[in-house]
Every structure is written in C-alpha cells, then in structure tokens.
Amino acid sequence: MDNNPLLDELYTILSETRNNETINIDLLSTSDILQKINEEDQKVALAIRPALGPISLAVDIIVNAFNNNGRLIYIGAGTSGRLGILDAVECVPTFSVAKDMVVGIIAGGEKAIKHAVEGAEDDQEAAITDLKEIQFTSNDVLVGIAASGRTPYVISAIQYANSLGAKTVAVSCNPHSPIGKKSDVDICAPVGPEVLTGSTRMKSGTAQKLILNMLSTASMIKIGKTYQNLMVDVNASNNKLYARALLIVMQATDCDEKTATTALQQANNEAKVAIMMILTNISADKALALLQQNKGYLRKAIETTTA
C-alpha cells in the first residue's frame, strides 16, 4: 500500500508533533491539567518575539496601503479565518474606520464562522472567487493566516494576490511554510507542539490572535487613530462606548466631566474633536477643519495651533 502523502507531510509540521510535557494529561487532576495548559500558553509571546522584524515590515506595508486608499484583507480557514474576521470587525468601533477598510474572509463563507464547512479549506478556486467578490486589487494587502502554513485555500489566495501585484503577508506557526515562501512577508511564530496534538486553536490560535492585534493596532496608530495611548477615534455608538469616549476626553485634557460632556456634545460625540477643542480653545468647526487638514492626526493638528 502506498503511503498517504498528507500523512507524511504531517510528520514534518511542528504544530502536529506530540508534546512530551502533556503525554499523560488524561491522567491528571483538573488543576494539574490547567497548570499544563497555562505553562504552555506562557511560551506563546516568547515565540512571537523573534518575528517582530517581519511584523514591523508588514505594518509599514499596511500603513502605505491605507494611505493610498488600499485595504487590509485577512483570509483563512477554520480558526484562522475566524480570528481574521474577529480582528477586522473590532477595527470599526475601536477606530471608527469604514467597514471595508479591514476585511476578514473565511473559507466556506459566513456559514463557516459558526459551523465547519466540509472541504472548504481545500477549495482553491473558492479563494479566488472570494477575493474577486470584494474586488480585491493591487492597492490592497492580503494577510493569509494558516497555523500549518499549508492550507490550499490560503495558498491559492496568496498566489492570486501576487498575480495582481498586491503585497502579501503570511501568518503561520510552522517555519518554512508554503504560504511563507509565497508571500512578501513571512511571519512565523513557532509555538511548538500543542497541549492536545494538532489542536491549533490553542497555542497557535493564541499566537495568531496576538499577531493580528499587532498588525491592526500598530497600523491604526501610524495613521493617526490614537493620541498618546488613547483611542481617540472610538465610535461612541452605545452607552458603554460613550462613557469610554467621555473618559478619553477627560484623560487627554485633564478636564472635569462637565467640560468633557459639553465638548463632546458640541463635537457630535467625536472624542478627537472634543479634545482638540479643549486643548486649543477653539470651536468644533475649526477643530474639525484642522483635523481634516492634518489627515486626522490629532497631535499634528494641535501643533499647528502653537507653531
């Protein structure tokens, strides 16, 4: 009988190897199981540290795309796809960006967010179709996410993006992966064997989530979506976010609640405008105009009033 080539491939993938620290995990007490999981999780951030160089390069590429009307597109299958969607969705309320500025695509479509779609990760044509549906262009950046680094759906998406001349980034947990080799930037966090062999929703998923946090957050900081370490572009779309916007204005200006509330009302609940008004003692209209002239950079806009 011929050997199964996929089985042979699994033997070479770091995240599919067995973890010697958890061989007898099924014999442990509940507290000892949790201790093992916690010990393994502590390795994740350290595994990412050597990849900070490629992550930095990817951020600069994304920022350049944003500044030229491009988008950040995440694509993946299963857990990887869900993590991309999670990061993309959170960018809207956090940074008040357009819904299509950061997009997450999962193999199998929306149904696959909640339920496994059989064969979706192997459908190479679907990846191309999915990118065409969002009118993916060379101005966009594609981030292909796959713990193993070998998912056919993601490989196909990266190849298609490359064919258009778009910049591509790979996020995996296995060195020398196919998606890494085909991308402009190869981000790899070799977290090692999982607590449960092959369960890449664990350490690998955590690593991917941390990396996506870095990509989107650093990119948003670089295009002026923050002031100091405050989310000044937060969209105050509900009571909790309004309270956060109020607190941000108070923290940025050292003003009291009454002053912050009045400024927010005059600024149409835009924290960035309210902060500008208080710090420079100008009207909402003038604050908004200065921010627009400085492409939304609050710090730069403030500096123009003191120059």
Side-chain angles (χ1 to χ4, degrees):
M1 182 182 294
D2 293 334
N3 290 337
N4 184 322
L6 187 55
L7 180 61
D8 292 339
E9 190 176 334
L10 288 177
Y11 281 121
T12 68
I13 297 174
L14 182 61
S15 59
E16 298 292 335
T17 57
R18 295 189 72 184
N19 191 326
N20 290 329
E21 298 297 322
T22 60
I23 292 290
N24 295 315
I25 197 168
D26 58 327
L27 300 177
L28 301 181
S29 67
T30 300
S31 61
D32 286 342
I33 290 172
L34 298 179
Q35 180 72 26
K36 287 291 185 184
I37 294 173
N38 181 250
E39 288 172 356
E40 290 297 315
D41 284 344
Q42 291 179 45
K43 300 175 182 178
V44 175
L46 293 177
I48 293 173
R49 184 177 294 172
L52 291 179
I55 294 171
S56 177
L57 181 57
V59 168
D60 289 342
I61 289 172
I62 294 165
V63 169
N64 183 63
F66 285 162
N67 288 333
N68 289 280
N69 298 315
R71 300 170 294 172
L72 168 58
I73 311 297
Y74 294 128
I75 195 163
T79 298
S80 297
R82 295 181 190 102
L83 289 170
I85 290 172
L86 175 63
D87 195 69
V89 169
E90 290 292 338
C91 285
V92 177
T94 305
F95 302 110
S96 293
V97 297
K99 291 181 180 179
D100 64 348
M101 186 170 172
V102 184
V103 178
I105 300 174
I106 186 171
E110 287 192 15
K111 178 183 176 183
I113 297 173
K114 292 184 177 180
H115 306 284
V117 176
E118 202 167 328
E121 72 169 41
D122 296 322
D123 195 336
Q124 299 180 55
E125 287 300 318
I128 298 172
T129 299
D130 290 344
L131 288 176
K132 286 181 176 179
E133 282 185 358
I134 65 163
Q135 298 180 318
F136 184 88
T137 74
S138 59
N139 289 332
D140 301 322
V141 178
L142 184 71
V143 177
I145 314 164
S148 67
R150 59 175 179 80
T151 306
Y153 176 85
V154 179
I155 293 173
S156 177
I158 289 171
Q159 289 175 326
Y160 175 71
N162 286 338
S163 74
L164 298 180
K167 292 294 184 180
T168 53
V169 178
V171 177
S172 79
C173 294
N174 284 290
H176 315 298
S177 69
I179 65 170
K181 292 176 181 178
K182 295 178 184 296
S183 298
D184 294 303
V185 182
D186 179 13
I187 300 172
C188 178
V191 296
E194 298 287 357
V195 171
L196 299 180
T197 306
S199 183
T200 52
R201 68 185 181 85
M202 301 188 76
K203 289 193 298 182
S204 296
T206 300
Q208 290 172 326
K209 178 66 170 69
L210 293 177
I211 290 168
L212 300 190
N213 284 350
M214 289 180 173
L215 292 178
S216 58
T217 303
S219 296
M220 293 298 171
I221 291 170
K222 296 291 285 186
I223 63 169
K225 290 295 181 179
T226 64
Y227 174 67
Q228 299 170 350
N229 61 351
L230 298 172
M231 299 183 296
V232 291
D233 256 328
V234 63
N235 181 13
S237 58
N238 58 40
N239 290 337
K240 184 190 77 172
L241 292 177
Y242 175 80
R244 178 170 290 166
L246 188 63
L247 179 60
I248 286 170
V249 174
M250 294 168 65
Q251 290 172 326
T253 64
D254 288 327
C255 73
D256 57 28
E257 182 179 344
K258 182 179 179 181
T259 301
T261 300
T262 300
L264 267 176
Q265 290 173 344
Q266 294 175 355
N268 196 29
N269 289 339
E270 294 186 33
K272 186 182 283 186
V273 176
I275 293 167
M276 183 80 183
M277 291 168 58
I278 295 170
L279 290 180
T280 61
N281 195 30
I282 60 177
S283 67
D285 288 343
K286 188 170 182 180
L288 183 59
L290 284 172
L291 284 166
Q292 290 173 342
Q293 289 172 21
N294 288 276
K295 298 181 179 180
Y297 284 84
L298 178 55
R299 193 181 289 275
K300 290 182 180 179
I302 291 171
E303 288 173 354
T304 64
T305 68
T306 59

